[in-house]
């Protein structure tokens, strides 16, 4: 700003205008109204300065068409939910932060996101994007995604260059022998904050076995995605078998080639989470494999570069009961670079991530091994690193290569700039490493326990970490880690499967008093790693799934298989039962709140059938009753219900899981536009000219929404309206909700005219005021619809207003007295035709002074004696009223002529 001194005056030259920073925040309430800081033009919402907008305004805009929000930064701090097929576009030249869920249920609803950097989804706080229509569209920073929101679409995925997005959370109930995505995936998979639960894979390993949700990632990006309650179990009896297994993916890089340079592939994992267990099962006492690389997220990084950020796993990983020549198991990733260090080293960066699952080492027959809370073996290039991460994992390992960060860690070449930075573990050591030359470990700690106070350890940034008093540091912006409890199998003493049981223990195997932890006994049907109809023999048995913790503190804990399987000897074989349950109505709208399957479960044996929720997902579902059960729910998602046949003395128990999909229903639109909505009271009953229709499949019903004085009723299914008087009746046509569509309605107003003839005529001017332009108000009811009416001023007769009576038999209006009236008496005549065909009229007489002011006004004809001064004529009226008689006869003749013409018309 420049200042110029001119005498005693100071003139300011303003600076040139700078571009304003427009920040739009979507809030649940308290936002500004349109026009008060923000505007919408052709569906595009903008603001010149920071402003908050209510989510309801965005939803209302989407209800009328496509909507775009454009700003420098956009923060979604309130849910946005719309049910039609409109497109929402969020365009930020800077940051786009989605802190609350976005949900679109329309069949072809669309979402487009554009920002720099890529949009950030607060999945750790429960935010997600759900696109649940039949064929929704998604574009993110100009990349087009194929949206998957059914189990069939999910299982159809293979290796592909197509970008995939998960439109809603899905539950799996079957057991698979391979990965969901069996080929090498090399594109973008955006989970949008949703997850796949219940993945179960059991298989006999082969020469090259990669198992997980993805078999292999090659230059892929996986983000905002969870794989929860997974169980992956392999069996192997040959040292020629190579197994790479992780809940998310078995291998990163091309597992069929030797390790290559870090530039071979670059894969990115961000905001990904997992839970469940990865197990190498002992079945015969001679289980063995050449390599067993397993992790809570990933089995191994074989070549290329891998970047893991803002991710976590509570999955337990166990090699117990088997022997491996090369073994690496870790909470996030099993093995990083299976080869000797050299110029072809891989590159890995792990940041802002954590693990809590149990790690169990297994038997070793070679010299390559490691068991780690985050990575089993970590051998990366000189800049590979673990930063701002932690592990609460319990580790059961007899070898020296075990550690809370990595069982074995090494950076090459020998003077690395990489290492472990600002990280910690509850385990006794960070991990084994080459001691000379030294490996970087900066501001990282082992044996960490909860401490009083909120001060962070040295080197921990308050922008990344937080700490409550009496707790350990956790990462900001991520789901708070749960404390693991373990299900330990108790072997049967009588050799029968049905008497096998379990106890809840800590990582050391000490039985826990659940009440002191604020917990109650688990609910659900326990599933073990061997089937109930197993043949006699000795097995290593682990808990798989089926149990849910209850009690006040249930959200603070999770259940995992105990670190060491239990040796179980089965001496009495049971006959297998098969549960059959195939209801066809497995989908319902959450607005219906309940669903009763149209078939009950049956068993091939004699076990009693019972029902229980095996996985409620996001639905909050419960089950009551039986044969068939009643399923209640409060939200959309997948509810997995298990029908169990109880074991008997001779039969093994069995079960069948069925997924009930609770949908956010699609919107339907009701169309109803009858043309006969204005009628006289004698038109009852009235059949609307058209009935209501809907764009969906909801059943149409009719009801009275409101009524003034017509005493109207309507047929529930016919739409026929009945009434007994004049008034306004609002009828609602409702398309009722069903399993596919939400309810919708359209209101139509029926106005019913009175059959009682009334006429009113008023000259609205006070005595002494000018008559010219004085208002004349008129109104009628009960006249014959379609007949003529007029308002005549008689001096020289002239029509002030005229027309035909409307469908309601009423006329309401106003006109004005013209100028130029002579002094004396004048008359106003409002006339028309009654419902019975008679002529009806009403009159006003008024006297005008020589100066044009009103002297008098009355509704009766003035007598000659009232006229002053004497002899002043009643202008427009003969002294003996001949003119009145003539006009009356003229109107009557006009009516008779019209009636006669009507008869002629009917004859012709």
């Amino acid at each position: 700003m420049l200042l110029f001194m001119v005498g005693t005056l100071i003139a300011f030259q303003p600076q040139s205008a700078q571009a304003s920073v427009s920040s739009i925040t979507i809030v649940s309430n308290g936002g500004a109204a349109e026009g008060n800081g923000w505007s919408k033009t052709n569906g595009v919402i903008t603001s010149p300065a920071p402003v908050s907008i209510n989510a309801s305004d965005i939803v209302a805009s989407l209800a009328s068409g496509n909507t775009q929000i454009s700003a420098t930064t956009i923060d979604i701090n309130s849910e946005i939910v719309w049910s039609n097929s409109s497109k929402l576009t969020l365009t930020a030249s800077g940051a786009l932060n989605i802190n609350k869920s976005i949900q679109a249920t329309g069949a072809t609803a669309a979402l487009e996101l554009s920002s720099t950097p890529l949009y950030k989804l607060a999945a750790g706080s429960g935010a997600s994007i759900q696109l649940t229509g039949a064929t929704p569209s998604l574009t993110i920073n100009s990349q087009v995604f194929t949206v998957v929101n059914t189990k069939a679409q999910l299982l159809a995925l293979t290796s592909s260059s197509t970008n995939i997005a998960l439109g809603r959370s899905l539950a799996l109930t079957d057991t698979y022998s391979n990965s969901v995505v069996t080929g090498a995936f090399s594109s973008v998979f955006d989970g949008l904050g949703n997850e796949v639960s219940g993945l179960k894979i059991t298989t006999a390993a082969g020469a090259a076995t990669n198992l997980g949700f993805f078999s292999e990632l090659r230059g892929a990006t996986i983000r905002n995605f969870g794989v929860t309650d997974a169980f992956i179990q392999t069996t192997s009896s040959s040292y020629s078998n190579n197994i790479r297994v992780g809940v998310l993916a078995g291998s990163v890089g091309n597992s069929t080639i030797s390790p290559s340079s870090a530039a071979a592939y670059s894969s990115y994992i961000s905001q990904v989470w997992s839970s469940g267990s990865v197990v190498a099962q002992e079945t015969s006492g001679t289980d063995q494999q050449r390599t067993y690389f397993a992790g809570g997220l990933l089995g191994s990084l074989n070549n290329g570069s891998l970047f893991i950020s803002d991710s976590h796993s509570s999955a337990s990983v166990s090699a117990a009961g088997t022997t491996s020549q090369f073994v690496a198991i870790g909470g996030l990733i099993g093995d990083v670079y299976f080869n000797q260090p050299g110029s072809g080293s891989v590159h890995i960066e792990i940041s802002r991530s954590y693990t809590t699952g149990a790690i169990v080492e297994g038997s070793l027959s070679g010299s390559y091994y490691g068991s780690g809370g985050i990575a089993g073996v970590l051998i990366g290039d000189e800049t590979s690193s673990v930063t701002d991460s932690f592990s609460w994992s319990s580790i059961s390992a007899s070898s020296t290569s075990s550690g809370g960060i990595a069982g074995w860690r090494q950076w090459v070449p020998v003077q690395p700039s990489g290492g472990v930075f600002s990280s910690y573990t509850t385990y006794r050591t960070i991990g084994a490493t080459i001691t000379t030359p030294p490996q970087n470990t900066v501001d990282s700690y082992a044996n960490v326990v909860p401490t009083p106070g909120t001060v962070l350890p040295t080197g921990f940034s308050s922008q990344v970490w937080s700490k409550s008093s009496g707790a350990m540091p956790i990462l900001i912006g991520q789901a708070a880690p749960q404390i693991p409890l373990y299900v330990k199998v108790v072997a049967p003493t009588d050799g029968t499967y049905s008497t096998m049981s379990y106890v809840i223990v800590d990582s050391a195997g000490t039985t826990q008093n659940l009440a002191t932890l604020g917990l109650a006994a688990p609910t659900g049907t326990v599933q073990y790693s061997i089937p109930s109809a197993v043949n006699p023999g000795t097995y290593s048995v682990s808990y798989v799934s089926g149990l849910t913790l209850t009690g006040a503190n249930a959200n603070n804990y999770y259940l995992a298989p105990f670190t060491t399987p239990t040796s179980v000897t089965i001496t009495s074989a049971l006959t297998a039962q098969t549960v059959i349950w195939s209801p066809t109505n497995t989908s319902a709208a959450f607005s219906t709140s309940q669903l009763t399957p149209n078939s009950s479960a049956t068993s091939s044996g004699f076990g009693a059938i019972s029902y229980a929720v095996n996985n409620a997902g996001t639905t909050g579902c419960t089950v009551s009753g039986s044969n068939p059960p009643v399923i209640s729910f409060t939200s959309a998602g997948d509810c997995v219900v298990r029908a169990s046949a109880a074991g008997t003395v001779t039969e093994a128990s069995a079960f069948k899981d069925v997924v009930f999909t609770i949908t956010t229903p699609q919107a339907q639109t009701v169309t109803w536009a009858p043309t006969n909505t204005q009628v006289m009271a004698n038109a009852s009953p009235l059949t609307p000219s058209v009935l209501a229709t809907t764009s969906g499949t909801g059943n149409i019903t009719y009801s009275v929404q409101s009524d003034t004085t017509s005493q109207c009723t309507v047929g529930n299914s016919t739409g026929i309206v009945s009434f007994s008087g004049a008034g306004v009746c609002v009828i609602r046509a409702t398309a009722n909700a069903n399993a596919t569509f939400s309810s919708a309605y359209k209101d139509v107003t029926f106005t019913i005219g009175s059959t009682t003839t009334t006429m009113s005529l008023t000259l609205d001017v006070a005595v002494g005021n000018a008559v010219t332009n004085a208002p004349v108000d008129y109104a009628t009811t009960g006249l014959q619809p379609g007949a003529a009416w007029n308002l005549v001023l008689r001096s020289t007769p002239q029509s002030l207003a005229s027309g035909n009576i409307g469908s309601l038999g009423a006329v309401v209006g106003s006109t004005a007295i013209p100028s130029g009236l002579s002094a004396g008496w004048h008359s106003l005549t409002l006339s028309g035709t009654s419902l019975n065909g008679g002529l009806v009229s009403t009159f006003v007489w008024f006297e005008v002074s020589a100066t044009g002011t009103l002297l008098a006004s009355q509704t009766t004809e003035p007598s000659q004696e009232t006229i002053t001064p004497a002899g002043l004529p009643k202008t427009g009226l003969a002294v003996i009223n001949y003119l009145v008689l003539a006009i009356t006869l003229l109107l009557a003749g006009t009516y008779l002529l019209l009636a006669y013409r009507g008869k002629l018309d009917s004859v012709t």
Side-chain angles (χ1 to χ4, degrees):
M1 185 176 290
L2 302 178
L3 286 75
F4 300 93
M5 300 298 295
V6 184
T8 58
L9 298 177
I10 302 177
F12 292 87
Q13 177 177 308
Q15 294 176 318
S16 60
Q18 297 181 351
S20 61
V21 176
S22 61
S23 173
I24 293 180
T25 302
I26 306 303
V27 295
S28 57
N29 55 67
E34 183 177 357
N36 187 16
W38 63 277
S39 61
K40 186 177 78 168
T41 304
N42 296 325
V44 180
I45 294 173
T46 58
S47 70
V51 68
S52 293
I53 303 175
N54 289 328
S56 57
D57 288 330
I58 306 302
V59 173
S61 179
L62 286 164
S64 61
N66 296 341
T67 299
Q68 178 176 345
I69 302 174
S70 182
T72 305
T73 62
I74 301 175
D75 292 286
I76 307 299
N77 290 346
S78 176
E79 287 191 349
I80 299 176
V81 182
W82 74 101
S83 58
N84 63 354
S85 289
S86 294
K87 177 182 180 180
L88 173 63
T89 302
L90 302 177
T91 303
S93 57
L96 169 57
N97 300 311
I98 301 177
N99 302 317
K100 293 292 183 179
S101 293
I102 295 175
Q103 301 177 41
T105 61
T108 58
L111 177 66
E112 182 170 352
L113 309 176
S114 178
S115 61
T116 304
L118 186 75
Y119 83 99
K120 185 176 182 180
L121 178 67
S125 301
S128 65
I129 297 171
Q130 299 173 40
L131 306 172
T132 58
T135 55
S137 300
L138 175 66
T139 303
I140 302 175
N141 282 16
S142 300
Q143 287 185 311
V144 177
F145 285 75
T146 297
V147 179
V148 170
N149 55 27
T150 69
K151 179 179 174 182
Q153 292 171 331
L154 184 72
L155 296 177
L157 294 177
T158 59
S159 56
S160 172
S161 59
T162 302
N163 298 321
I164 303 297
L166 186 62
R168 69 179 187 91
S169 292
L170 295 170
L172 303 178
T173 58
D174 298 320
T175 299
Y176 305 97
S177 60
N178 208 339
S179 303
V180 172
V181 182
T182 57
F185 189 80
S186 58
S187 304
V188 179
F189 187 99
D190 196 327
L192 304 179
N194 300 303
E195 62 185 34
V196 171
S197 61
L199 172 64
K200 184 179 180 183
I201 302 173
T202 60
T203 190
T209 302
N210 299 326
L211 294 176
F213 180 85
F214 296 96
S215 174
E216 189 169 84
L217 304 176
R218 295 184 192 172
T221 295
I222 315 297
R223 63 187 183 227
N224 308 316
F225 178 47
V227 184
T228 58
D229 195 26
F231 179 77
I232 305 177
Q233 183 181 67
T234 60
T235 60
S236 173
S237 58
S238 172
Y239 279 130
S240 64
N241 292 333
N242 297 286
I243 300 171
R244 295 176 173 88
V245 55
V247 173
L248 179 67
S251 176
V252 179
N254 189 340
S255 62
T256 65
I257 64 174
S258 299
S260 57
S261 70
Y265 304 99
S266 290
S267 295
Y268 299 86
I269 310 293
S270 63
Q271 284 213 134
V272 174
W273 62 98
S274 68
S275 66
S277 57
V278 174
V279 179
Q281 183 187 24
E282 175 190 6
T283 57
S284 62
T286 59
D287 282 23
Q288 56 195 16
Q289 51 268 318
R290 179 174 182 266
T291 63
Y292 186 75
F293 297 153
L297 276 184
L298 304 167
S300 72
L301 170 62
N302 193 63
N303 41 57
S305 297
L306 174 61
F307 302 85
I308 303 175
S309 63
D310 302 286
S311 299
H312 63 271
S313 176
S314 63
S316 297
V317 185
S318 174
T322 66
T323 301
S324 306
Q325 292 179 329
F326 306 94
V327 61
I329 54 176
L332 279 185
I333 185 168
D335 181 69
V336 176
Y337 187 46
F338 173 43
N339 208 325
Q340 296 302 313
S343 60
S345 299
V346 297
H347 178 79
I348 187 169
E349 294 181 24
I350 299 173
S351 61
R352 301 180 305 279
S353 299
Y354 71 85
T355 65
T356 58
I359 308 298
V360 184
E361 185 174 71
S363 300
L364 312 172
S365 65
S367 59
Y368 188 97
Y369 50 85
S371 303
I374 290 179
V377 172
L378 195 163
I379 302 175
D381 66 7
E382 62 181 346
T383 59
S384 293
S385 61
V386 177
T387 306
D388 289 319
S389 299
F390 69 90
S391 174
W392 291 0
S393 294
S394 62
I395 302 173
S396 175
S398 58
S399 71
T400 57
S401 295
S402 60
I405 301 300
W408 176 267
R409 54 195 174 92
Q410 183 177 341
W411 282 259
V412 292
V414 292
Q415 296 294 336
S417 57
V420 180
F421 307 101
S422 305
S423 301
Y424 79 90
T425 175
T426 56
Y427 191 60
R428 56 182 171 80
T429 177
I430 288 177
T433 183
I434 296 175
T435 55
T436 4
Q439 304 293 302
N440 288 337
T441 303
V442 181
D443 296 330
S444 296
Y445 309 90
N447 271 326
V448 173
V449 296
T451 58
T454 59
V455 177
L456 291 169
T458 301
F460 282 38
S461 169
S462 60
Q463 302 300 309
V464 178
W465 297 88
S466 67
K467 183 183 181 305
S468 299
S469 183
M472 291 184 289
I474 60 174
L475 294 164
I476 296 172
Q478 293 205 44
Q482 293 177 300
I483 300 169
L485 291 175
Y486 302 94
V487 181
K488 182 178 180 181
V489 178
V490 178
T493 57
D494 61 359
T496 62
Y497 181 97
S498 59
T499 60
M500 188 161 54
S501 59
Y502 66 88
V503 291
I504 307 299
V505 300
D506 62 14
S507 60
T510 303
T511 301
Q512 299 296 288
N513 185 326
L514 296 181
T516 62
L517 300 176
L519 301 172
T523 59
T525 304
V526 64
Q527 182 181 351
Y528 299 112
S529 57
I530 60 173
S532 56
V534 68
N535 291 325
T538 300
Y539 303 88
S540 290
V541 181
S542 296
Y543 161 76
V544 174
S545 66
L547 298 178
T548 300
L549 282 170
T550 60
N553 294 335
N555 289 334
N556 298 333
Y557 295 86
Y558 73 93
L559 291 176
F562 184 54
T563 53
T564 303
T566 299
S567 178
V568 172
T569 300
I570 302 295
T571 60
S572 176
L574 298 175
T575 302
Q577 293 187 84
T578 301
V579 174
I580 299 172
W581 191 27
S582 302
T584 57
N585 59 332
T586 56
S587 179
F590 81 83
S591 57
T592 61
S593 74
Q594 284 189 340
L595 183 153
T596 301
N598 56 16
S599 70
S600 300
T602 59
S603 172
S604 61
F606 297 95
I609 296 291
S610 62
Y611 301 89
V613 172
N614 190 43
N615 187 345
T618 58
T619 66
C621 63
T622 58
V623 173
S624 60
S626 60
N627 297 324
V630 176
I631 303 168
S632 302
F633 38 82
T634 59
S635 188
D638 285 338
C639 172
V640 182
V641 178
R642 174 167 292 180
S644 298
T648 68
V649 175
T650 59
E651 296 171 317
S653 62
F655 66 87
K656 174 69 180 294
D657 287 341
V658 172
V659 178
F660 293 89
T661 300
I662 313 306
T663 62
T664 302
Q666 299 178 34
Q668 56 183 330
T669 302
V670 175
T671 302
W672 191 26
T675 56
N676 55 339
T677 58
Q678 295 188 340
V679 295
M680 299 294 288
N682 59 2
S684 179
L686 176 70
T687 300
S689 61
V690 293
L691 294 178
T693 60
T694 176
S695 62
T697 57
N699 178 48
I700 298 287
T701 57
Y702 301 88
S703 60
V704 174
Q705 181 65 15
S706 65
D707 177 40
T708 54
T709 56
S710 73
Q711 301 296 311
C712 64
T713 60
V714 65
N716 179 267
S717 59
T718 64
I720 296 175
V721 185
S722 300
F723 36 85
S724 58
V728 176
C729 175
V730 179
I731 303 298
R732 172 165 293 181
T734 300
N736 294 286
N738 55 29
T740 307
F741 293 92
S742 59
S743 64
Y745 65 86
K746 178 68 181 294
D747 289 342
V748 170
T749 299
F750 292 86
T751 305
I752 299 142
S754 173
T755 54
T756 301
T757 301
T758 64
M759 304 186 78
S760 67
L761 182 62
T762 304
L763 176 62
D764 194 9
V765 61
V767 172
N769 291 333
V771 172
T772 298
N773 293 327
V776 178
D777 300 323
Y778 54 88
T780 72
T781 64
L783 299 188
Q784 189 176 93
W789 67 273
N790 59 29
L791 174 62
V792 176
L793 170 66
R794 290 185 175 85
S795 306
T796 300
Q798 56 182 302
S799 177
L800 298 187
S802 63
N804 293 94
I805 302 298
S807 58
L808 294 176
V811 173
V812 177
S814 180
T815 186
I817 299 294
S819 60
L821 295 185
S822 59
W825 284 92
H826 302 263
S827 71
L828 292 167
T829 305
L830 176 64
S831 59
T833 303
S834 68
L835 288 175
N836 60 12
L839 178 68
V840 289
S841 300
T842 188
F843 306 90
V844 170
W845 285 265
F846 62 95
E847 185 178 10
V848 181
S849 72
T851 60
T853 60
L854 183 68
L855 293 176
S857 176
Q858 58 193 58
T859 57
T860 57
E861 179 183 356
S863 63
Q864 187 63 33
E865 292 74 18
T866 63
I867 300 174
T868 56
L872 181 68
K874 295 186 288 184
T875 306
L877 294 174
V879 174
I880 58 175
N881 290 328
Y882 287 143
L883 184 57
V884 172
L885 177 61
I887 291 172
T888 301
L889 292 174
L890 177 61
L891 288 172
T894 300
Y895 171 74
L896 291 173
L897 177 60
L898 290 172
Y900 180 70
R901 289 184 61 184
K903 289 181 178 180
L904 288 177
D905 290 342
S906 65
V907 171
T908 59

